[in-house]
Each structure stands twice: as C-alpha cells, then as structure tokens.
Amino acid sequence: MSFKKFFSLGVWSMRQMRFATKLTLIAVILLVPMLLVLAQLIWTQKQDLGIIHAEVEGISLVGDASELIRQLQTHRGQTNMVLSGNTAAQAGRDNTRATLRQARDALDHKFSVTQTPMNANEWASLRTRLDGLVSALEGKTAPASFALHTALIEDLGRFVYGMAKQTSLLFDPDPATYLLMDMVVSRTIPWTEQLGKLRGQGAGLLSKPALDDAGAVRVRTQFDALNFLLRDIQYSLVLMKDFGLLDPSADNAVQASTAFSTRARERFAPGAATGEPQVFFAAGSQTIEAVTAYQRSAIDQTTRLLQARFDTTTHMFWLTSVGSGVCVLAMLYLMLSFQISFLADLRQVQRFMQQTASGNLRHQARLNGKDELSDMSASMNIMVNNFSAMVASVRSNSALVSYAGSSMAGGNRALSDRTEQQAANLEQTAASVEELSSTVQGNAQAAQQSDTMTCGVRDVAENGARAMTEAIGSVEAIQSSTKRMDEIVSVID
C-alpha cells in the first residue's frame, strides 16, 4: 500500500468537512485523551493523599491501642501477684485500673474523630469486655485471671492488626515506612506481650511462698519464646538499618530485653529461691518501657516520613492540578484564538476572492499579521493591483482601438464613395477608351497613310537638307566676304 493510498480515506474525510469542523475535531481528539490522563493522574494522587492520611491516623491509633494493651498487661501482672498472695501489689493495681480507663477513653475518643472507617462493632465488643473486666475477675484464680487478660490482649492485638489493614499501614509501598509500620504493628506488640507474660507469670510465681516446678517450667518457656522473638526482631532491625533507619532506642530495647531474659533465666533456674516479686515486676516494667520508648520513636519516625510524603504528594497534587489546568486553559485559549483568527482571516480571503471574481478590483484584503495568510493576502493585493493596471491598460487601448476603428470606418466609407466615383469614372473612361480605340484605329489608318507621306516628306527633307547645306556654305562664303569688307571699311575709317 502506497503512502498516498494509506491516507486517502483521511484526506477524503477532511475534504467533506468545513474548516471549523476540522479544527474542532482535532481539538477534541487531542484534549479528550489528555484530560482523561490528567483526571486519572489527579485521581491517583488524591487517592494517595487519602491513603497517606489514613496511614497517619492509623499509626496514631496504633500508638493509643498499644498504650491500652500495655496498661492491660500491667493490670494482668499486678492482678496475678494479688491473686497469688501479694497484697502489696493491690494499690498499684488500683492505680493501673484508673490509667486503663483513661487509655480506653482516649482510644474511644480518637475512634470517634477518625475519618477513616473502622470496624465499630468489633471495637464496641472489646470496649464492653474492657468495661466488664473488673467484675469478670471476681472469684477468679490467678491462672484464670491471667488467661482472661491474655485472651483480651490477643483480641486487642488482632484488632490493631485489622485496624492497620483498614488504614493501609500494612500495604505501604515505601520500604522504609513499611518496615517501620511492620515493627510497630506486627513486632513491638508481640514483643511487649511476651515481656508482659514473662513479667506477670514470674512475679506471680515469686509471690508464692515457694517455687513450684510446673510454674518454673512455664516461666522458662516464656523467656525461651522471648529469646526466639528477639532474634527475629534483631534481624528486622538489621534490615531497617540497610534503609537508613537508625534508632538508638531500638538497641536499648533489645539490650534491656536480653538482660531481662538473662535475669529471668537466672531467677527461675532450678533450685532458685522465691521472693522479691516487686523487684522482678519492676525490672520487667522497665524493659517494657524501653520497648515502648522504641515503639513511640518508631511511631514518631513513621509519622514524620508519612507527613513528609503527604506534604510532597500534596505539593505534587496541587502542582499537577493547577499546572494541568493552566496548560489546558492555555491550550484551549490558543486553539480558540487560532480558530477565531484563522477563520476570520479565511473569511476575508474568501470575500476578497468573491469580490475579485465579481469584477471588483478595488477590494483589498487587510490582514494585520506576519503569518502565511497575511503574506498570501499581501500577494493577492499585489496581484489585484496588477490586474487593475492591466484592465486600465486594456481599457485605454480599447478606446484607442475604438477611435481607430471609427476613423477606419469613416475612411472606409470615404474610400467606398471614392471607389464608386472611380467606378463611374472608369465607366466613362471605358466609354472614352472605346471611342479612343475607334479613333486610334482611324489614326492607325491615317498614320499608315501618313507614313507613306512621311517617307515622301523625308525624301524631300533630305533633298532640302542637302540644299540647306549648300546654302550654308554659300552663306559662310558671304560671311567671309562681309568680314573682309568690314576690315576694309575699318581701315578706310
């Protein structure tokens, strides 16, 4: 298929449309896809802003929920000590209950002002269980109380994980923020929970008059699980350092957890003595506080990164929206200006051609510009001026030709008259010639007779000439004699 044949359909289609329709069609073909792409880009950026905003809200909720879990872990350990016979822990437990209610109210308030949709029914169920926790503990043994607290903490942990899913914390595309969110949501809560179990079971066991082997085995199982969890957390921290996420509080939390695990291993070794549950509980609380400090630091770092990304995305959103709007408006303005100017100039050219075609050579196409149409109009004005000069010259020459024609017609008429007169004269001449012819014939006969007579005359003339010659000779002799007579007379005188 040749190049010309390939575009034949398009060329035919363009030739069926007016120029304004062509420009409008081209503008629609250009603008519609561009507007769709811009709308998709702006919508994507708006979606990103909504996701980042949800993540900021989610990380804040995770912090408050983690605080609630920590207070619940503290209440679990203190209740375990009280039910194990340590009445000195009752005052601390009462204070923790007040703090627990404050943490629950804070989280409940934050849920009410959060724009991101949450699972309200699940939170309502958990809140009801939190409110009824104290009454549910009445008559419970230490293991039953510990199990009740642990079940509620596990459900809160799963609720936090689901909340992180709803706020897109678990699906962040940036590696740095993803690792921080994973640490905050998936690792620090199980980390503090493992420390809390070790602290609560250990303090409760130490509150008894004597260490029982079964309880010691359960505690040793807890610090073995803690050591396994610490190895996994250390690997995650190394991975985070590869992305530039350095936090001294993370190393402090790991060191404190390792030290507490070592202390628990020594404290609950076979044959170890009981006692000092408050000291062990305080050491566990300090370790949990170190992990909490790291979690808060990670939350702050995540919030800063998300806020920076939110600001950048907001800037890009407005830059894209405003820039795209300005570009589209400028493009529309230029395209409309081109259409208006081109069609106006084209109409002037068409009117100029119509006037010229009708014979009006005084019409001028006045286009103020430097484009091709202006150049063409200037050339057409020059062309029409040349046509006008040619027409004027033709008119002048036509007048001269007309005058010459009139003069020639008069001359022709005079010539015709003279020709007629000459014809009449010729007729008379012909008659005269006929008469002359007859006369000439007569004259010829007379001339013939005259010739005969002339021959005779010639002979006479020749004879006369000879006589004259002789006479001349005689006269010359007389003249000579006369001259001598003159000389004689002159002498006599």
Side-chain angles (χ1 to χ4, degrees):
M1 181 181 293
S2 64
F3 183 80
K4 186 176 181 180
K5 288 183 178 179
F6 179 76
F7 286 98
S8 59
L9 179 60
V11 171
W12 179 84
S13 301
M14 289 294 106
R15 288 175 176 171
Q16 308 306 311
M17 293 183 286
R18 305 291 293 177
F19 198 82
T21 307
K22 296 177 186 179
L23 291 179
T24 304
L25 179 62
I26 294 173
V28 170
I29 293 174
L30 289 175
L31 285 176
V32 169
M34 185 176 69
L35 290 176
L36 290 177
V37 171
L38 290 176
Q40 179 67 28
L41 179 61
I42 293 173
W43 182 82
T44 301
Q45 291 180 339
K46 190 172 180 62
Q47 289 292 109
D48 291 341
L49 287 175
I51 291 174
I52 296 172
H53 181 72
E55 287 179 329
V56 172
E57 289 185 337
I59 199 69
S60 177
L61 288 172
V62 168
D64 290 346
S66 298
E67 178 63 26
L68 177 63
I69 291 173
R70 282 190 294 273
Q71 296 301 326
L72 190 58
Q73 290 167 346
T74 302
H75 185 266
R76 178 183 59 188
Q78 291 171 338
T79 301
N80 193 43
M81 286 192 296
V82 170
L83 295 177
S84 297
N86 187 358
T87 57
Q90 188 169 357
R93 186 187 64 175
D94 294 339
N95 294 331
T96 301
R97 285 178 177 176
T99 307
L100 182 62
R101 285 192 297 270
Q102 293 175 0
R104 193 267 297 166
D105 293 339
L107 183 59
D108 189 58
H109 173 71
K110 187 158 290 187
F111 272 125
S112 65
V113 298
T114 298
Q115 298 179 0
T116 305
M118 295 294 175
N119 193 340
N121 294 330
E122 186 177 2
W123 167 242
S125 175
L126 291 172
R127 183 178 56 193
T128 302
R129 291 170 62 185
L130 285 169
D131 294 339
L133 179 62
V134 175
S135 59
L137 292 175
E138 293 180 359
K140 299 289 185 181
T141 61
S145 171
F146 198 91
L148 182 63
H149 282 85
T150 300
L152 183 56
I153 291 172
E154 289 176 353
D155 291 340
L156 282 172
R158 283 189 288 269
F159 176 71
V160 170
Y161 199 83
M163 186 170 56
K165 176 185 176 182
Q166 290 176 323
T167 56
S168 301
L169 286 173
L170 300 179
F171 311 108
D172 193 87
D174 184 72
T177 49
Y178 172 78
L179 290 173
L180 285 170
M181 293 174 187
D182 178 69
M183 180 61 69
V184 171
V185 175
S186 303
R187 302 189 185 277
T188 53
I189 294 178
W191 189 357
T192 56
E193 172 61 9
Q194 194 61 46
L195 288 170
K197 288 180 179 180
L198 180 59
R199 178 189 62 178
Q201 289 183 356
L205 185 60
L206 292 174
S207 298
K208 295 181 179 180
L211 294 178
D212 61 275
D213 294 336
V217 170
R218 286 195 299 270
V219 172
R220 285 194 290 270
T221 302
Q222 294 299 330
F223 59 67
D224 288 338
L226 177 62
N227 291 332
F228 177 79
L229 181 63
L230 287 175
R231 287 194 298 270
D232 185 57
I233 290 173
Q234 286 174 335
Y235 176 77
S236 297
L237 292 174
V238 171
L239 186 61
M240 293 172 67
K241 289 179 181 179
D242 293 338
F243 287 92
L245 301 174
L246 303 176
D247 193 343
S249 61
D251 297 331
N252 294 335
V254 172
Q255 293 174 1
S257 298
T258 303
F260 183 65
S261 176
T262 302
R263 181 173 183 174
R265 186 179 297 277
E266 296 174 352
R267 191 70 181 79
F268 294 98
T274 187
E276 298 181 349
Q278 299 288 357
V279 176
F280 184 80
F281 190 86
S285 299
Q286 290 178 357
T287 304
I288 293 175
E289 187 59 35
V291 176
T292 301
Y294 170 59
Q295 186 188 40
R296 290 169 181 165
S297 177
I299 290 174
D300 292 340
Q301 192 174 5
T302 304
T303 304
R304 287 194 301 271
L305 291 175
L306 290 174
Q307 190 62 46
R309 195 199 307 171
F310 184 83
D311 295 339
T312 302
T313 306
T314 302
H315 177 73
M316 290 301 299
F317 172 77
W318 287 112
L319 181 63
T320 303
S321 302
V322 176
S324 301
V326 171
C327 291
V328 170
L329 290 176
M331 186 174 179
L332 284 173
Y333 177 79
L334 292 176
M335 292 182 69
L336 290 175
S337 300
F338 171 75
Q339 183 173 6
I340 293 171
S341 65
F342 192 88
L343 291 178
D345 295 344
L346 189 61
R347 291 189 186 99
Q348 286 199 34
V349 173
Q350 288 178 337
R351 188 161 51 250
F352 171 82
M353 298 300 293
Q354 291 171 355
Q355 292 291 328
T356 303
S358 64
N360 183 10
L361 299 180
R362 292 177 296 177
H363 186 79
Q364 297 286 320
R366 295 179 175 85
L367 302 181
N368 298 322
K370 298 180 180 180
D371 57 355
E372 288 77 4
L373 280 176
S374 301
D375 296 340
M376 186 174 68
S377 66
S379 300
M380 288 190 300
N381 289 333
I382 296 173
M383 179 186 69
V384 170
N385 290 334
N386 293 333
F387 282 166
S388 180
M390 291 172 61
V391 170
S393 177
V394 169
R395 285 178 178 175
S396 177
N397 293 332
S398 297
L400 293 175
V401 170
S402 177
Y403 176 75
S406 298
S407 300
M408 185 179 293
N412 289 335
R413 285 193 297 270
L415 179 60
S416 177
D417 294 339
R418 289 194 298 271
T419 302
E420 292 177 354
Q421 182 65 37
Q422 290 295 330
N425 293 335
L426 286 174
E427 289 178 355
Q428 295 177 0
T429 301
S432 300
V433 168
E434 288 179 356
E435 293 178 357
L436 180 61
S437 176
S438 60
T439 303
V440 167
Q441 289 178 357
N443 288 335
Q445 294 175 357
Q448 191 173 5
Q449 294 175 1
S450 177
D451 183 60
T452 303
M453 294 176 67
T454 299
C455 288
V457 172
R458 185 179 62 188
D459 292 339
V460 174
E462 288 178 353
N463 292 330
R466 285 192 295 273
M468 284 299 293
T469 302
E470 293 177 356
I472 289 170
S474 298
V475 171
E476 287 179 353
I478 293 171
Q479 185 178 8
S480 176
S481 298
T482 301
K483 188 179 290 186
R484 284 194 301 269
M485 287 178 69
D486 285 337
E487 291 176 357
I488 293 171
V489 170
S490 293
V491 173
I492 293 173
D493 289 338

